[in-house]
Amino acid sequence: MRKPRPSRRSAAAARAKRETLKGWLQISGVVALTAVVGVTYFMVAKGAKALDDETLCPREPSSVTVLLVDVTDPMTTAQKQDFQNQLDHLRRTIPRYGKLIVTKVDSSSSELLKPIIVRCNPGTATDVSEWNGNPRAVQEAHDQKFVAPLEAAFKDLSGASGADRSPILESIQSVALTELAPLESSDTPRKVVVVSDLLQNTDAINFYDRLPSPDELLESAAFRRVRTDLSGVQFEIWMLERSDATTTQPRALVDLWDSAIAAQGGSIERAYNVSG
């Protein structure tokens, strides 16, 4: 027996049902796409940081590194080159949104130190994509507003000051109070890089005349006046060797600084002799 063919009314109803289902599928696709775009925009906006126009720093940097330079005597040609190499390496280690503060020891130590330059790394083109940023703009900011100003500042750091005083401990206290203590998050990595011959030279503490023992230094009234809270701060020491290093810069000198920094809660992670 032949099956009856569907009526025109039932065929029209089936077509209407298919069109309705197709419409719902299209609407669902648009809603899903809108949701994906919305979530993506939210995540990008959430991850974006408002940066200072000059320093490129966000309100909360990802890390803080202070470069404290104390050059009293002229560097040799080899020292200048190695110093430049170390500076370039330091700049490359600053993470995205990390802050680098460059300052020099002030022989007078009568005021808190003021930075020579402050810059944060805005990242490079590899840190963003067309979906969540502008790779070209980020790279230009990195090259023109981060690298170029720092390289210009670095050129003047190797010049000798000729000062007859080196208040290194006072300078560390200064940067700890002005650059490290105001951080809102205690979890922010903090580092101080000290470039010096390490010979503290003030009326109260003088490593030239005689190198004190760690106990003698730490128990002195003069040290109590210059100590500060360095809890969690990592240090790098770049020692500039003098021509009379065998007598003025014995191994005990670095050990003394290790004791002085540890007594304040910090730690020396790297001690490096600048070549030359």
Side-chain angles (χ1 to χ4, degrees):
M1 177 181 293
R2 296 178 60 186
K3 295 181 179 180
R5 293 189 300 176
S7 64
R8 292 182 178 179
R9 179 177 298 179
S10 61
R15 286 196 300 272
K17 186 176 181 179
R18 288 196 299 272
E19 290 298 327
T20 299
L21 178 61
K22 182 179 179 181
W24 276 111
L25 289 174
Q26 290 175 339
I27 292 173
S28 298
V30 171
V31 171
L33 179 60
T34 302
V36 170
V37 171
V39 170
T40 301
Y41 176 81
F42 173 77
M43 295 303 293
V44 171
K46 184 179 179 181
K49 293 180 181 290
L51 305 182
D52 182 87
D53 291 338
E54 180 180 359
T55 66
L56 304 182
C57 291
R59 186 172 63 87
E60 296 184 32
S62 60
S63 67
V64 176
T65 301
V66 178
L67 177 66
L68 177 61
V69 181
D70 173 38
V71 181
T72 54
D73 298 323
M75 289 188 187
T76 66
T77 301
Q79 283 179 328
K80 286 182 180 180
Q81 183 59 58
D82 192 21
F83 180 44
Q84 184 62 53
N85 294 342
Q86 296 302 313
L87 290 174
D88 291 341
H89 175 72
L90 176 65
R91 174 181 54 76
R92 290 192 296 268
T93 63
I94 302 300
R96 190 181 190 194
Y97 301 133
K99 178 188 287 187
L100 176 59
I101 302 157
V102 181
T103 188
K104 297 184 76 171
V105 171
D106 182 358
S107 61
S108 68
S109 69
S110 58
E111 297 181 357
L112 294 174
L113 296 182
K114 296 179 181 178
I116 295 172
I117 187 173
V118 177
R119 285 293 185 277
C120 286
N121 180 5
T124 65
T126 60
D127 294 313
V128 296
S129 68
E130 297 293 345
W131 280 92
N132 61 7
N134 186 330
R136 172 177 288 186
V138 172
Q139 188 65 48
E140 287 181 355
H142 177 272
D143 295 342
Q144 298 175 13
K145 294 186 177 182
F146 177 67
V147 176
L150 285 175
E151 289 184 341
F154 287 166
K155 291 180 179 179
D156 298 329
L157 294 179
S158 61
S161 67
D164 57 358
R165 299 177 78 254
S166 291
I168 308 170
L169 286 165
E170 290 84 350
S171 297
I172 292 174
Q173 182 187 60
S174 175
V175 298
L177 294 173
T178 58
E179 307 297 347
L180 303 181
L183 295 178
E184 295 184 13
S185 174
S186 59
D187 296 330
T188 303
R190 297 171 296 166
K191 176 188 289 187
V192 176
V193 180
V194 180
V195 185
S196 172
D197 61 12
L198 302 184
L199 293 173
Q200 168 83 12
N201 183 15
T202 61
D203 295 338
I205 304 175
N206 190 330
F207 291 174
Y208 279 94
D209 294 342
R210 185 179 63 85
L211 199 62
S213 69
D215 289 343
E216 185 181 357
L217 173 65
L218 301 183
E219 294 173 5
S220 66
F223 180 76
R224 287 195 293 272
R225 285 194 294 271
V226 297
R227 68 177 298 150
T228 189
D229 183 9
L230 299 176
S231 299
V233 180
Q234 295 184 350
F235 277 76
E236 286 191 20
I237 300 293
W238 300 357
M239 189 170 74
L240 300 171
E241 287 197 359
R242 296 164 50 89
S243 58
D244 57 355
T246 54
T247 56
T248 60
Q249 296 173 300
R251 174 64 195 180
L253 178 60
V254 176
D255 294 339
L256 181 60
W257 276 100
D258 187 46
S259 298
I261 290 172
Q264 300 173 77
S267 60
I268 295 180
E269 302 297 318
R270 179 182 182 232
Y272 178 76
N273 281 16
V274 178
S275 299

